[in-house]
Amino acid sequence: RVRLVPSGGGSVQSGGSLRLSCTVSGLTSSQYCMGWFRQKPGQGREGITSIGGDGTTNYDDSVKGRFTISQDSARNALFLQMNSLRVEDTGLYYCAALPDPYTPCSRWIRHAAGYYTQNSWGAEVPVTVSS
């Protein structure tokens, strides 16, 4: 079973930066997608970025150019560097892994709701961006 333990998050002013980390264990395939999801107040959980076993990344348009996902070489750690934060980035952030080596990571974050029950999830990490 994949286990994800996040850290980081907090409060920052608009334009600031935060870094989220997630310790990962239990991956049984190097091909699993890993990524970050966000749930804004009153909304559903959305996929914002993913990274594959080969390092290929995907980003939602709302974070492209501002957020960067990365992983260590052993895929034991997942990171999300968030720069130029905006008030609308406020929400709960989740690291996740999809224990399915056949689903394209780009599809995984575009159709997040379809994979909720399949995903392994880390605990929520609150991020608050103030103006």
Side-chain angles (χ1 to χ4, degrees):
R1 178 180 172 80
V2 181
R3 185 165 181 259
L4 303 105
V5 180
S7 60
S11 299
V12 67
Q13 286 194 315
S14 179
S17 298
L18 285 172
R19 182 175 174 86
L20 306 183
S21 300
C22 190
T23 301
V24 184
S25 60
L27 285 180
T28 58
S29 170
S30 62
Q31 302 306 311
Y32 291 171
C33 300
M34 296 199 295
W36 293 91
F37 291 67
R38 174 173 66 193
Q39 186 165 9
K40 296 182 180 182
Q43 299 184 23
R45 203 172 299 183
E46 59 178 349
I48 57 173
T49 182
S50 67
I51 188 166
D54 62 356
T56 300
T57 57
N58 296 279
Y59 295 93
D60 183 77
D61 287 345
S62 65
V63 305
K64 198 174 294 183
R66 300 186 298 121
F67 290 13
T68 303
I69 188 172
S70 60
Q71 62 190 358
D72 71 350
S73 58
R75 306 199 89 197
N76 292 329
L78 183 68
F79 307 99
L80 182 65
Q81 179 66 41
M82 304 186 291
N83 298 329
S84 302
L85 280 160
R86 304 168 179 168
V87 172
E88 55 264 37
D89 293 318
T90 294
L92 301 175
Y93 285 70
Y94 300 84
C95 53
L98 177 66
D100 170 6
Y102 305 111
T103 297
C105 297
S106 57
R107 174 178 176 79
W108 181 49
I109 59 168
R110 280 203 310 271
H111 301 279
Y115 297 96
Y116 283 173
T117 58
Q118 290 179 254
N119 290 343
S120 293
W121 295 100
E124 62 188 37
V125 178
V127 170
T128 302
V129 185
S130 58
S131 58

